Coordinates of all heavy atoms in Angstrom, one line a residue:
M33 N -16.3 132.0 -75.2 CA -17.1 131.1 -74.4 C -17.0 129.6 -74.8 O -17.0 129.4 -76.0 CB -18.5 131.5 -74.4 CG -19.1 131.8 -73.0 SD -20.8 132.4 -73.1 CE -21.7 130.9 -73.3
K34 N -16.8 128.8 -73.9 CA -16.7 127.4 -74.2 C -18.1 126.8 -74.5 O -19.0 127.0 -73.6 CB -16.0 126.6 -73.1 CG -14.5 126.7 -73.1 CD -13.9 125.8 -72.1 CE -13.6 126.6 -70.8 NZ -13.2 125.7 -69.7
P35 N -18.2 126.0 -75.6 CA -19.5 125.3 -75.7 C -19.4 124.1 -74.7 O -18.5 123.3 -74.8 CB -19.5 124.9 -77.2 CG -18.1 124.9 -77.6 CD -17.3 125.8 -76.6
T36 N -20.3 124.0 -73.8 CA -20.1 122.9 -72.8 C -21.3 122.0 -72.8 O -22.4 122.4 -73.2 CB -20.0 123.5 -71.4 OG1 -21.2 123.9 -70.9 CG2 -19.1 124.7 -71.4
N37 N -21.0 120.8 -72.4 CA -22.1 119.9 -72.1 C -22.3 119.8 -70.6 O -22.9 118.9 -70.1 CB -22.0 118.5 -72.8 CG -20.6 118.0 -72.6 OD1 -19.9 118.4 -71.7 ND2 -20.2 117.0 -73.4
Q38 N -21.6 120.7 -69.9 CA -21.6 120.7 -68.5 C -23.0 121.1 -68.0 O -23.4 120.8 -66.9 CB -20.6 121.7 -67.9 CG -19.2 121.1 -67.9 CD -18.2 122.0 -67.3 OE1 -18.5 123.2 -67.0 NE2 -17.0 121.6 -67.1
K39 N -23.7 121.8 -68.9 CA -25.1 122.2 -68.5 C -25.9 121.0 -68.2 O -26.8 121.0 -67.3 CB -25.7 123.0 -69.7 CG -26.2 124.3 -69.2 CD -26.8 125.1 -70.3 CE -26.8 126.6 -70.0 NZ -27.0 127.4 -71.1
R40 N -25.7 119.9 -69.0 CA -26.4 118.7 -68.8 C -26.1 118.1 -67.5 O -27.0 117.4 -66.9 CB -26.1 117.7 -70.0 CG -27.0 118.0 -71.2 CD -26.6 117.2 -72.3 NE -26.3 115.8 -71.9 CZ -26.0 114.8 -72.8 NH1 -26.0 115.0 -74.1 NH2 -25.7 113.6 -72.3
L41 N -24.9 118.2 -67.0 CA -24.5 117.7 -65.7 C -25.0 118.5 -64.6 O -25.2 118.1 -63.5 CB -23.0 117.6 -65.6 CG -22.3 116.5 -66.5 CD1 -20.8 116.7 -66.5 CD2 -22.7 115.1 -66.0
F42 N -25.2 119.8 -64.9 CA -25.6 120.7 -63.9 C -27.0 120.4 -63.3 O -27.1 120.5 -62.1 CB -25.6 122.1 -64.5 CG -26.0 123.2 -63.5 CD1 -25.1 123.5 -62.4 CD2 -27.2 123.8 -63.5 CE1 -25.5 124.5 -61.5 CE2 -27.6 124.7 -62.6 CZ -26.7 125.1 -61.6
I43 N -27.9 120.0 -64.1 CA -29.2 119.8 -63.6 C -29.3 118.6 -62.7 O -29.9 118.8 -61.6 CB -30.3 119.7 -64.8 CG1 -30.4 121.1 -65.4 CG2 -31.6 119.2 -64.3 CD1 -31.0 121.1 -66.8
P44 N -28.8 117.4 -63.0 CA -28.8 116.3 -62.0 C -28.1 116.7 -60.7 O -28.5 116.3 -59.6 CB -28.0 115.2 -62.7 CG -28.1 115.5 -64.1 CD -28.2 117.0 -64.3
R45 N -27.0 117.5 -60.8 CA -26.3 117.9 -59.6 C -27.2 118.7 -58.7 O -27.2 118.6 -57.5 CB -25.1 118.8 -60.0 CG -23.9 118.0 -60.5 CD -22.8 117.9 -59.6 NE -21.9 116.9 -60.0 CZ -20.7 117.1 -60.6 NH1 -20.3 118.3 -60.8 NH2 -20.0 116.1 -61.0
L46 N -27.9 119.6 -59.4 CA -28.8 120.5 -58.7 C -29.9 119.6 -58.0 O -30.2 119.8 -56.8 CB -29.4 121.5 -59.6 CG -30.3 122.6 -59.0 CD1 -29.4 123.6 -58.2 CD2 -31.0 123.4 -60.1
Y47 N -30.3 118.7 -58.7 CA -31.4 117.8 -58.2 C -30.8 117.1 -57.0 O -31.5 117.0 -55.9 CB -31.7 116.7 -59.3 CG -32.7 115.7 -58.8 CD1 -34.0 115.9 -59.1 CD2 -32.3 114.5 -58.2 CE1 -35.0 114.9 -58.6 CE2 -33.2 113.6 -57.8 CZ -34.5 113.8 -58.0 OH -35.4 112.9 -57.6
C48 N -29.6 116.6 -57.0 CA -29.0 115.9 -55.9 C -28.7 116.9 -54.7 O -28.8 116.4 -53.6 CB -27.6 115.3 -56.3 SG -27.9 113.9 -57.4
N49 N -28.4 118.1 -55.0 CA -28.2 119.1 -53.9 C -29.5 119.3 -53.2 O -29.5 119.5 -52.0 CB -27.7 120.4 -54.5 CG -26.3 120.4 -54.8 OD1 -25.5 119.5 -54.4 ND2 -25.8 121.3 -55.7
V50 N -30.6 119.2 -53.9 CA -31.9 119.4 -53.2 C -32.4 118.2 -52.6 O -32.8 118.2 -51.4 CB -32.9 120.0 -54.3 CG1 -34.3 120.2 -53.6 CG2 -32.4 121.3 -54.8
F51 N -32.3 117.1 -53.3 CA -33.0 115.8 -52.8 C -32.0 114.8 -52.3 O -32.4 113.8 -51.7 CB -33.8 115.2 -54.0 CG -34.9 116.1 -54.5 CD1 -34.8 116.8 -55.7 CD2 -36.1 116.2 -53.8 CE1 -35.8 117.6 -56.2 CE2 -37.1 117.0 -54.2 CZ -36.9 117.7 -55.4
G52 N -30.7 115.1 -52.5 CA -29.7 114.1 -52.1 C -29.5 113.1 -53.2 O -30.3 112.9 -54.1
H53 N -28.3 112.4 -53.1 CA -28.0 111.4 -54.1 C -28.8 110.2 -54.0 O -29.3 109.8 -52.9 CB -26.5 111.0 -54.0 CG -25.5 112.1 -54.2 ND1 -25.3 112.7 -55.4 CD2 -24.7 112.7 -53.3 CE1 -24.4 113.7 -55.2 NE2 -24.0 113.7 -54.0
E54 N -29.1 109.6 -55.1 CA -29.8 108.3 -55.1 C -28.9 107.2 -55.6 O -28.7 107.0 -56.8 CB -31.0 108.4 -56.0 CG -32.1 107.4 -55.6 CD -33.3 107.5 -56.5 OE1 -33.7 108.7 -56.8 OE2 -33.9 106.5 -56.8
Y55 N -28.2 106.6 -54.6 CA -27.2 105.6 -55.0 C -27.7 104.3 -55.4 O -28.7 103.8 -54.8 CB -26.2 105.4 -53.8 CG -25.4 106.7 -53.5 CD1 -25.6 107.3 -52.3 CD2 -24.5 107.1 -54.4 CE1 -24.8 108.5 -52.0 CE2 -23.7 108.3 -54.1 CZ -23.9 108.9 -52.9 OH -23.1 110.0 -52.6
Q56 N -27.0 103.7 -56.3 CA -27.2 102.3 -56.7 C -25.9 101.5 -56.5 O -24.9 102.1 -56.8 CB -27.6 102.2 -58.2 CG -29.0 102.5 -58.5 CD -29.3 102.4 -60.0 OE1 -28.5 102.7 -60.8 NE2 -30.5 101.8 -60.3
V57 N -26.0 100.3 -56.1 CA -24.7 99.5 -55.9 C -24.1 99.3 -57.3 O -24.8 98.8 -58.2 CB -25.0 98.2 -55.3 CG1 -23.7 97.3 -55.2 CG2 -25.6 98.4 -53.9
S58 N -22.8 99.7 -57.5 CA -22.2 99.5 -58.7 C -21.2 98.4 -58.7 O -20.8 97.8 -59.7 CB -21.5 100.8 -59.2 OG -20.5 101.2 -58.2
K59 N -20.8 98.1 -57.4 CA -19.8 97.0 -57.3 C -19.9 96.4 -55.8 O -19.9 97.2 -54.9 CB -18.4 97.6 -57.5 CG -17.3 96.5 -57.6 CD -16.0 97.2 -58.0 CE -14.9 96.2 -58.2 NZ -15.2 95.2 -59.2
N60 N -19.8 95.1 -55.7 CA -19.7 94.5 -54.4 C -18.2 94.2 -54.2 O -17.6 93.4 -54.9 CB -20.5 93.2 -54.4 CG -22.0 93.4 -54.3 OD1 -22.5 94.0 -53.4 ND2 -22.7 93.0 -55.3
V61 N -17.6 94.9 -53.2 CA -16.2 94.7 -53.0 C -16.1 93.5 -52.0 O -15.3 92.5 -52.4 CB -15.6 95.9 -52.3 CG1 -14.1 95.7 -52.1 CG2 -15.8 97.1 -53.3
T62 N -16.7 93.5 -50.9 CA -16.8 92.3 -50.0 C -18.2 92.2 -49.6 O -19.1 92.9 -50.1 CB -15.9 92.5 -48.7 OG1 -16.5 93.5 -47.9 CG2 -14.5 92.9 -49.1
Y63 N -18.5 91.3 -48.6 CA -19.9 91.2 -48.1 C -20.4 92.5 -47.5 O -21.5 92.8 -47.5 CB -20.0 90.1 -47.1 CG -19.7 88.7 -47.6 CD1 -18.7 87.9 -47.1 CD2 -20.4 88.2 -48.7 CE1 -18.5 86.6 -47.6 CE2 -20.2 87.0 -49.3 CZ -19.2 86.2 -48.7 OH -18.9 84.9 -49.2
H64 N -19.4 93.3 -46.9 CA -19.8 94.5 -46.2 C -19.5 95.7 -46.9 O -20.1 96.8 -46.6 CB -19.1 94.5 -44.8 CG -19.3 93.2 -44.1 ND1 -20.6 92.8 -43.6 CD2 -18.5 92.2 -43.8 CE1 -20.5 91.7 -43.0 NE2 -19.2 91.2 -43.1
V65 N -18.6 95.7 -47.8 CA -18.2 96.9 -48.5 C -18.7 96.9 -49.9 O -18.5 96.0 -50.7 CB -16.6 97.1 -48.5 CG1 -16.2 98.3 -49.2 CG2 -16.1 97.1 -47.0
K66 N -19.3 98.0 -50.3 CA -19.9 98.1 -51.6 C -19.5 99.5 -52.2 O -19.2 100.4 -51.5 CB -21.4 98.0 -51.6 CG -21.8 96.6 -51.3 CD -23.3 96.6 -51.1 CE -23.9 95.2 -50.9 NZ -23.2 94.4 -49.8
E67 N -19.5 99.6 -53.5 CA -19.3 100.9 -54.2 C -20.7 101.3 -54.8 O -21.4 100.4 -55.3 CB -18.2 100.8 -55.2 CG -16.9 100.7 -54.6 CD -15.8 100.6 -55.7 OE1 -16.0 100.7 -56.9 OE2 -14.6 100.4 -55.2
Y68 N -21.0 102.5 -54.7 CA -22.3 103.0 -55.2 C -22.1 104.1 -56.2 O -21.1 104.9 -56.1 CB -23.1 103.6 -54.0 CG -23.3 102.6 -52.9 CD1 -22.4 102.5 -51.9 CD2 -24.5 101.9 -52.9 CE1 -22.6 101.6 -50.8 CE2 -24.7 101.0 -51.8 CZ -23.8 100.9 -50.8 OH -24.0 100.0 -49.8
T69 N -23.0 104.2 -57.1 CA -23.0 105.3 -58.1 C -24.4 106.0 -58.0 O -25.4 105.3 -58.0 CB -22.7 104.9 -59.5 OG1 -21.5 104.1 -59.5 CG2 -22.6 106.0 -60.5
C70 N -24.4 107.3 -58.0 CA -25.6 108.0 -58.0 C -26.3 107.9 -59.4 O -25.7 108.1 -60.4 CB -25.4 109.5 -57.6 SG -26.9 110.5 -57.7
K71 N -27.6 107.6 -59.3 CA -28.4 107.5 -60.6 C -28.4 108.7 -61.4 O -28.5 108.7 -62.6 CB -29.8 107.2 -60.2 CG -30.2 105.8 -60.1 CD -31.8 105.8 -60.1 CE -32.4 104.6 -59.5 NZ -33.8 104.8 -59.3
H72 N -28.3 109.9 -60.7 CA -28.6 111.1 -61.4 C -27.3 111.8 -61.8 O -27.2 112.3 -62.9 CB -29.4 112.1 -60.5 CG -30.7 111.5 -60.0 ND1 -31.7 111.3 -60.9 CD2 -31.0 110.9 -58.8 CE1 -32.7 110.7 -60.2 NE2 -32.3 110.5 -59.0
C73 N -26.3 111.9 -60.9 CA -25.1 112.7 -61.3 C -23.9 111.8 -61.4 O -22.8 112.4 -61.6 CB -24.9 113.8 -60.2 SG -24.4 113.2 -58.6
K74 N -24.0 110.5 -61.2 CA -22.9 109.6 -61.3 C -21.8 109.8 -60.2 O -20.7 109.4 -60.4 CB -22.2 109.7 -62.7 CG -23.1 109.5 -63.9 CD -23.7 108.1 -63.9 CE -24.8 108.0 -65.0 NZ -25.7 106.9 -64.7
H75 N -22.2 110.5 -59.2 CA -21.3 110.6 -58.0 C -21.1 109.3 -57.4 O -22.0 108.4 -57.3 CB -21.9 111.6 -57.0 CG -21.1 111.8 -55.8 ND1 -21.2 111.0 -54.6 CD2 -20.1 112.7 -55.6 CE1 -20.3 111.5 -53.8 NE2 -19.6 112.5 -54.3
E76 N -19.8 109.0 -57.1 CA -19.5 107.7 -56.5 C -19.2 107.7 -55.0 O -18.6 108.6 -54.5 CB -18.3 107.1 -57.3 CG -18.6 106.7 -58.7 CD -17.4 106.2 -59.4 OE1 -16.3 106.9 -59.5 OE2 -17.4 105.1 -59.9
A77 N -19.7 106.7 -54.4 CA -19.5 106.6 -52.9 C -19.1 105.1 -52.6 O -19.3 104.2 -53.4 CB -20.7 107.0 -52.2
T78 N -18.6 105.0 -51.4 CA -18.3 103.6 -50.9 C -18.6 103.5 -49.4 O -18.8 104.5 -48.7 CB -16.9 103.2 -51.2 OG1 -16.7 101.9 -50.8 CG2 -15.9 104.1 -50.4
T79 N -18.7 102.3 -48.9 CA -18.8 102.1 -47.5 C -17.5 102.2 -46.8 O -16.5 101.6 -47.3 CB -19.4 100.7 -47.2 OG1 -20.2 100.3 -48.3 CG2 -20.2 100.6 -46.0
N80 N -17.3 103.0 -45.8 CA -16.1 103.1 -45.1 C -16.0 102.1 -43.9 O -17.0 101.3 -43.7 CB -15.7 104.5 -44.7 CG -16.7 105.0 -43.6 OD1 -17.4 104.2 -42.9 ND2 -16.6 106.3 -43.3
S81 N -14.9 102.1 -43.2 CA -14.7 101.1 -42.2 C -15.8 101.2 -41.0 O -16.0 100.3 -40.3 CB -13.3 101.2 -41.6 OG -13.1 102.5 -41.2
N82 N -16.4 102.3 -40.9 CA -17.5 102.5 -39.9 C -18.9 102.1 -40.4 O -19.8 102.1 -39.7 CB -17.6 103.9 -39.4 CG -16.3 104.4 -38.8 OD1 -15.6 103.7 -38.1 ND2 -15.9 105.6 -39.1
G83 N -18.9 101.7 -41.7 CA -20.2 101.3 -42.3 C -21.0 102.4 -42.8 O -22.1 102.2 -43.2
Y84 N -20.4 103.6 -42.9 CA -21.1 104.8 -43.4 C -20.7 105.0 -44.8 O -19.6 104.7 -45.2 CB -20.8 106.0 -42.6 CG -21.4 106.0 -41.2 CD1 -20.6 105.9 -40.1 CD2 -22.8 106.0 -41.0 CE1 -21.1 105.8 -38.8 CE2 -23.3 106.0 -39.7 CZ -22.5 105.8 -38.6 OH -23.0 105.8 -37.4
L85 N -21.5 105.7 -45.6 CA -21.2 106.1 -46.9 C -20.2 107.2 -46.9 O -20.4 108.2 -46.2 CB -22.4 106.5 -47.7 CG -23.3 105.4 -48.3 CD1 -24.4 106.0 -49.2 CD2 -22.4 104.4 -49.2
T86 N -19.2 107.2 -47.8 CA -18.3 108.2 -47.9 C -17.9 108.4 -49.4 O -18.2 107.5 -50.2 CB -17.0 108.0 -47.0 OG1 -16.2 109.1 -47.1 CG2 -16.3 106.8 -47.5
E87 N -17.4 109.5 -49.8 CA -17.1 109.8 -51.1 C -16.0 108.8 -51.6 O -15.1 108.5 -50.9 CB -16.6 111.2 -51.3 CG -16.6 111.6 -52.8 CD -16.1 113.1 -52.9 OE1 -16.1 113.8 -52.0 OE2 -15.6 113.4 -54.0
L88 N -16.1 108.2 -52.8 CA -15.2 107.3 -53.3 C -14.0 108.0 -53.9 O -13.9 108.4 -55.1 CB -15.8 106.4 -54.4 CG -14.9 105.3 -54.9 CD1 -14.5 104.3 -53.9 CD2 -15.7 104.5 -56.0
T89 N -13.0 108.3 -53.0 CA -11.8 109.0 -53.4 C -10.8 108.0 -54.0 O -11.0 106.8 -53.8 CB -11.1 109.7 -52.2 OG1 -10.9 108.7 -51.3 CG2 -12.0 110.7 -51.6
P90 N -9.8 108.4 -54.7 CA -8.8 107.5 -55.3 C -8.2 106.6 -54.2 O -7.9 105.4 -54.4 CB -7.8 108.4 -55.9 CG -8.5 109.6 -56.3 CD -9.6 109.8 -55.2
K91 N -8.1 107.2 -53.0 CA -7.5 106.4 -51.9 C -8.5 105.3 -51.5 O -8.0 104.1 -51.3 CB -7.4 107.4 -50.7 CG -6.7 106.8 -49.5 CD -5.2 106.7 -49.7 CE -4.5 105.7 -48.8 NZ -3.2 105.3 -49.2
F92 N -9.8 105.6 -51.4 CA -10.7 104.5 -51.0 C -10.8 103.5 -52.2 O -11.0 102.3 -51.9 CB -12.1 105.1 -50.8 CG -12.3 105.5 -49.3 CD1 -12.4 106.8 -49.0 CD2 -12.4 104.5 -48.4 CE1 -12.6 107.2 -47.6 CE2 -12.6 104.9 -47.0 CZ -12.7 106.2 -46.7
R93 N -10.7 103.9 -53.4 CA -10.8 103.0 -54.5 C -9.6 102.0 -54.4 O -9.8 100.8 -54.7 CB -10.6 103.8 -55.8 CG -11.3 103.2 -57.0 CD -11.0 104.1 -58.2 NE -11.8 105.3 -58.3 CZ -13.0 105.3 -58.9 NH1 -13.5 104.3 -59.5 NH2 -13.7 106.4 -58.9
E94 N -8.4 102.5 -54.1 CA -7.3 101.7 -53.9 C -7.5 100.7 -52.8 O -7.2 99.5 -52.9 CB -6.1 102.6 -53.6 CG -4.7 102.0 -53.8 CD -3.6 102.9 -53.3 OE1 -3.7 104.1 -53.6 OE2 -2.7 102.4 -52.6
I95 N -8.0 101.2 -51.7 CA -8.3 100.3 -50.5 C -9.3 99.2 -50.9 O -9.1 98.0 -50.6 CB -8.8 101.1 -49.3 CG1 -7.7 102.0 -48.8 CG2 -9.3 100.1 -48.2 CD1 -8.2 103.0 -47.8
N96 N -10.3 99.6 -51.7 CA -11.3 98.6 -52.1 C -10.7 97.6 -53.0 O -11.1 96.4 -52.9 CB -12.5 99.4 -52.8 CG -13.4 100.0 -51.8 OD1 -13.2 99.9 -50.6 ND2 -14.3 100.8 -52.3
R97 N -9.8 98.0 -53.9 CA -9.2 97.0 -54.8 C -8.4 96.0 -54.0 O -8.5 94.8 -54.3 CB -8.2 97.7 -55.8 CG -8.8 98.6 -56.9 CD -9.7 97.8 -57.9 NE -11.1 97.7 -57.4 CZ -12.0 98.7 -57.5 NH1 -11.7 99.8 -58.1 NH2 -13.2 98.6 -57.0
I98 N -7.8 96.4 -52.9 CA -7.0 95.5 -52.1 C -8.0 94.6 -51.3 O -7.8 93.4 -51.3 CB -6.1 96.3 -51.1 CG1 -5.0 97.1 -51.9 CG2 -5.4 95.3 -50.1 CD1 -4.3 98.1 -51.1
L99 N -9.0 95.2 -50.8 CA -10.0 94.4 -50.0 C -10.6 93.3 -50.9 O -10.8 92.2 -50.6 CB -11.1 95.3 -49.5 CG -10.9 96.1 -48.3 CD1 -12.0 97.0 -48.0 CD2 -10.6 95.2 -47.1
E100 N -10.9 93.8 -52.2 CA -11.5 92.9 -53.1 C -10.6 91.7 -53.4 O -11.1 90.6 -53.5 CB -11.8 93.7 -54.4 CG -12.7 92.9 -55.4 CD -12.8 93.7 -56.7 OE1 -12.1 94.6 -57.0 OE2 -13.6 93.2 -57.5
R101 N -9.3 92.0 -53.6 CA -8.4 90.9 -53.9 C -8.3 89.9 -52.8 O -8.4 88.7 -53.0 CB -7.0 91.5 -54.1 CG -6.3 90.8 -55.2 CD -4.9 91.4 -55.5 NE -5.0 92.8 -55.9 CZ -4.1 93.7 -55.5 NH1 -3.0 93.4 -54.9 NH2 -4.3 95.0 -55.9
I102 N -8.3 90.4 -51.5 CA -8.2 89.5 -50.3 C -9.5 88.7 -50.3 O -9.5 87.5 -50.0 CB -8.0 90.4 -49.0 CG1 -6.7 91.1 -49.1 CG2 -8.1 89.5 -47.8 CD1 -6.5 92.2 -48.0
H103 N -10.6 89.4 -50.5 CA -11.9 88.8 -50.4 C -12.1 87.7 -51.4 O -12.5 86.6 -51.1 CB -13.0 89.8 -50.6 CG -14.4 89.3 -50.5 ND1 -15.0 88.9 -49.3 CD2 -15.3 89.0 -51.5 CE1 -16.2 88.5 -49.6 NE2 -16.4 88.5 -50.9
T104 N -11.7 87.9 -52.7 CA -11.8 87.0 -53.7 C -10.9 85.7 -53.4 O -11.3 84.6 -53.6 CB -11.3 87.6 -55.1 OG1 -12.0 88.8 -55.2 CG2 -11.7 86.7 -56.2
K105 N -9.7 86.0 -52.9 CA -8.8 84.9 -52.6 C -9.4 84.0 -51.5 O -9.3 82.8 -51.6 CB -7.5 85.5 -52.1 CG -6.2 85.0 -52.8 CD -5.0 85.6 -52.2 CE -4.3 86.4 -53.3 NZ -3.1 87.1 -52.7
R106 N -10.0 84.7 -50.5 CA -10.5 84.0 -49.4 C -11.7 83.1 -49.8 O -11.8 82.0 -49.4 CB -10.9 85.0 -48.3 CG -11.1 84.3 -46.9 CD -11.5 85.3 -45.9 NE -10.4 86.3 -45.6 CZ -10.6 87.5 -45.0 NH1 -11.8 87.9 -44.7 NH2 -9.6 88.3 -44.8
T107 N -12.6 83.7 -50.6 CA -13.8 83.0 -51.0 C -13.4 81.8 -51.9 O -14.0 80.8 -51.9 CB -14.8 83.9 -51.7 OG1 -14.2 84.7 -52.7 CG2 -15.5 84.7 -50.7
M108 N -12.4 82.0 -52.8 CA -11.9 81.0 -53.6 C -11.3 79.8 -52.8 O -11.6 78.7 -53.1 CB -10.8 81.5 -54.6 CG -11.4 82.1 -55.9 SD -10.2 82.9 -56.9 CE -9.3 81.4 -57.5
R109 N -10.6 80.2 -51.8 CA -10.0 79.2 -51.0 C -11.0 78.3 -50.2 O -11.0 77.1 -50.2 CB -9.0 79.8 -49.9 CG -8.0 78.8 -49.4 CD -7.2 79.3 -48.3 NE -6.6 80.6 -48.6 CZ -6.4 81.6 -47.7 NH1 -6.8 81.5 -46.5 NH2 -5.8 82.7 -48.1
L110 N -12.1 79.1 -49.7 CA -13.2 78.4 -49.0 C -13.9 77.4 -50.0 O -14.2 76.3 -49.6 CB -14.2 79.4 -48.5 CG -13.8 80.1 -47.2 CD1 -14.8 81.2 -46.9 CD2 -13.7 79.1 -46.1
R111 N -14.1 77.9 -51.2 CA -14.8 77.1 -52.2 C -14.0 75.9 -52.5 O -14.5 74.8 -52.6 CB -15.0 77.9 -53.5 CG -16.4 77.8 -54.0 CD -16.6 78.8 -55.1 NE -17.1 80.1 -54.7 CZ -17.0 81.2 -55.4 NH1 -16.3 81.2 -56.5 NH2 -17.4 82.3 -54.9
H112 N -12.7 76.1 -52.6 CA -11.8 75.0 -52.9 C -11.8 74.0 -51.8 O -11.8 72.8 -52.1 CB -10.4 75.5 -53.1 CG -9.4 74.5 -53.5 ND1 -9.4 73.9 -54.8 CD2 -8.4 73.9 -52.8 CE1 -8.4 73.0 -54.8 NE2 -7.8 72.9 -53.6
E113 N -11.7 74.5 -50.5 CA -11.7 73.5 -49.4 C -13.0 72.7 -49.3 O -12.9 71.5 -49.1 CB -11.5 74.3 -48.1 CG -10.0 74.5 -47.8 CD -9.8 75.5 -46.7 OE1 -10.8 75.8 -45.9 OE2 -8.7 76.0 -46.6
S114 N -14.1 73.4 -49.5 CA -15.4 72.6 -49.4 C -15.5 71.6 -50.5 O -16.1 70.6 -50.4 CB -16.6 73.6 -49.3 OG -16.6 74.3 -50.5
F115 N -14.9 72.0 -51.6 CA -14.9 71.1 -52.8 C -14.1 69.8 -52.5 O -14.5 68.7 -52.7 CB -14.4 71.8 -54.0 CG -14.3 70.9 -55.2 CD1 -15.5 70.5 -55.9 CD2 -13.1 70.4 -55.7 CE1 -15.4 69.7 -57.0 CE2 -13.0 69.6 -56.8 CZ -14.1 69.2 -57.5
S116 N -12.9 70.1 -52.0 CA -12.0 68.9 -51.7 C -12.5 68.1 -50.6 O -12.2 66.9 -50.5 CB -10.6 69.4 -51.5 OG -10.5 70.3 -50.5
N117 N -13.3 68.7 -49.7 CA -13.8 67.9 -48.6 C -14.9 66.9 -49.1 O -15.0 65.8 -48.6 CB -14.4 68.8 -47.5 CG -13.4 69.4 -46.6 OD1 -12.2 68.9 -46.6 ND2 -13.7 70.4 -45.9
S118 N -15.7 67.4 -50.0 CA -16.8 66.6 -50.5 C -16.2 65.6 -51.6 O -16.9 64.7 -52.0 CB -17.9 67.4 -51.1 OG -17.3 68.2 -52.2
D119 N -15.0 65.8 -52.0 CA -14.4 65.0 -53.0 C -13.5 64.0 -52.4 O -12.3 64.0 -52.6 CB -13.7 65.9 -54.0 CG -13.2 65.2 -55.2 OD1 -13.8 64.2 -55.6 OD2 -12.1 65.6 -55.7
L120 N -14.0 63.2 -51.5 CA -13.2 62.2 -50.8 C -12.7 61.1 -51.7 O -13.4 60.6 -52.5 CB -13.9 61.6 -49.6 CG -14.3 62.6 -48.5 CD1 -15.3 61.9 -47.5 CD2 -13.1 63.0 -47.7
K121 N -11.4 60.8 -51.5 CA -10.8 59.8 -52.4 C -11.1 58.4 -51.8 O -11.0 58.2 -50.6 CB -9.3 60.0 -52.5 CG -9.0 61.0 -53.6 CD -7.4 61.2 -53.6 CE -7.1 62.5 -54.4 NZ -6.0 63.2 -53.8
I122 N -11.5 57.6 -52.7 CA -11.7 56.2 -52.2 C -10.5 55.4 -52.5 O -10.1 55.2 -53.7 CB -13.0 55.6 -52.9 CG1 -14.2 56.5 -52.7 CG2 -13.3 54.2 -52.5 CD1 -15.4 56.2 -53.6
T123 N -9.9 54.9 -51.5 CA -8.7 54.1 -51.7 C -9.1 52.6 -51.3 O -9.3 52.4 -50.1 CB -7.5 54.6 -50.8 OG1 -8.0 54.8 -49.5 CG2 -6.9 55.8 -51.4
A124 N -9.2 51.8 -52.3 CA -9.6 50.5 -52.0 C -8.5 49.5 -52.4 O -7.8 49.7 -53.3 CB -10.9 50.1 -52.7
Ligands
LIG474 ZN1 -26.2 112.5 -57.2

């Protein structure tokens, strides 16, 4: 018999089976897409393209990394543009 600490994981899982997962935001990917982790069993979920929660599979994780990169680039560019707009050069 294997000595396991799976027993410790079993109880939160059971709790979640009965009461449902209690997700907390673990990562903001974009304004609309977030990743969540269950407080009790550490189950991970994400927002899919329909805006519903779905299991965070490796595929979704990969998509989220790409979305995040695009999002970061876009917000950085916006920040840069607004900065250079307010930073008008005075040529006298
Ligand atoms: Zn859970």
Side-chain angles (χ1 to χ4, degrees):
M33 239 177 81
K34 278 188 266 174
T36 80
N37 48 17
Q38 278 181 354
K39 232 177 204 168
R40 275 172 43 172
L41 288 170
F42 179 73
I43 293 165
R45 282 253 165 101
L46 187 69
Y47 178 92
C48 291
N49 282 341
V50 178
F51 299 102
H53 297 293
E54 203 177 322
Y55 291 116
Q56 280 183 316
V57 176
S58 58
K59 189 174 182 61
N60 286 298
V61 180
T62 69
Y63 295 125
H64 308 291
V65 179
K66 291 170 176 54
E67 287 178 7
Y68 303 87
T69 308
C70 176
K71 264 194 203 172
H72 304 287
C73 69
K74 307 294 172 201
H75 181 266
E76 290 179 300
T78 187
T79 330
N80 69 12
S81 50
N82 300 319
Y84 293 110
L85 276 187
T86 187
E87 198 180 335
L88 186 61
T89 58
K91 188 76 198 163
F92 271 112
R93 208 184 283 269
E94 199 187 316
I95 293 169
N96 283 354
R97 288 298 85 81
I98 297 165
L99 281 176
E100 190 187 11
R101 216 177 304 147
I102 296 167
H103 180 74
T104 312
K105 230 182 245 175
R106 197 179 292 160
T107 48
M108 271 174 70
R109 200 190 306 146
L110 280 176
R111 226 174 271 157
H112 182 74
E113 272 169 18
S114 61
F115 176 74
S116 52
N117 280 346
S118 62
D119 185 33
L120 293 169
K121 275 179 197 143
I122 303 163
T123 46

